[in-house]
Amino acid sequence: LPIFRIGEVFLAAAVLYHALNGIRIMLVDFLPRATRHHQAIFYGEVVIFVGLMIPGAYFMLKPLF
């Protein structure tokens, strides 16, 4: 069913964001200098998320098209 395929994409997005956010939190916690670059690290996280999620969603949704 297509609705499950779309739900799977949202689940994968949530897992990927959670993983990248965990890495960002570890960087800020363990590297005191990273606190000054907190916003830049967040934007980097968003870029990596979008860069991985677009092709991932394409391949996951490919059978629907």
Side-chain angles (χ1 to χ4, degrees):
L1 284 151
I3 191 74
F4 291 113
R5 186 76 68 160
I6 294 168
E8 191 176 52
V9 170
F10 283 115
L11 179 63
V15 169
L16 179 62
Y17 179 79
H18 186 71
L20 292 173
N21 196 47
I23 292 170
R24 180 180 62 86
I25 300 257
M26 284 191 300
L27 283 173
V28 171
D29 281 349
F30 292 121
L31 299 173
R33 291 175 287 154
T35 308
R36 286 181 263 154
H37 306 288
H38 187 44
Q39 189 174 12
I41 294 171
F42 172 74
Y43 289 133
E45 173 189 353
V46 170
V47 167
I48 293 170
F49 173 79
V50 170
L52 291 174
M53 202 57 219
I54 288 175
Y58 170 74
F59 285 114
M60 291 171 79
L61 295 175
K62 195 174 175 182
L64 295 181
F65 302 112

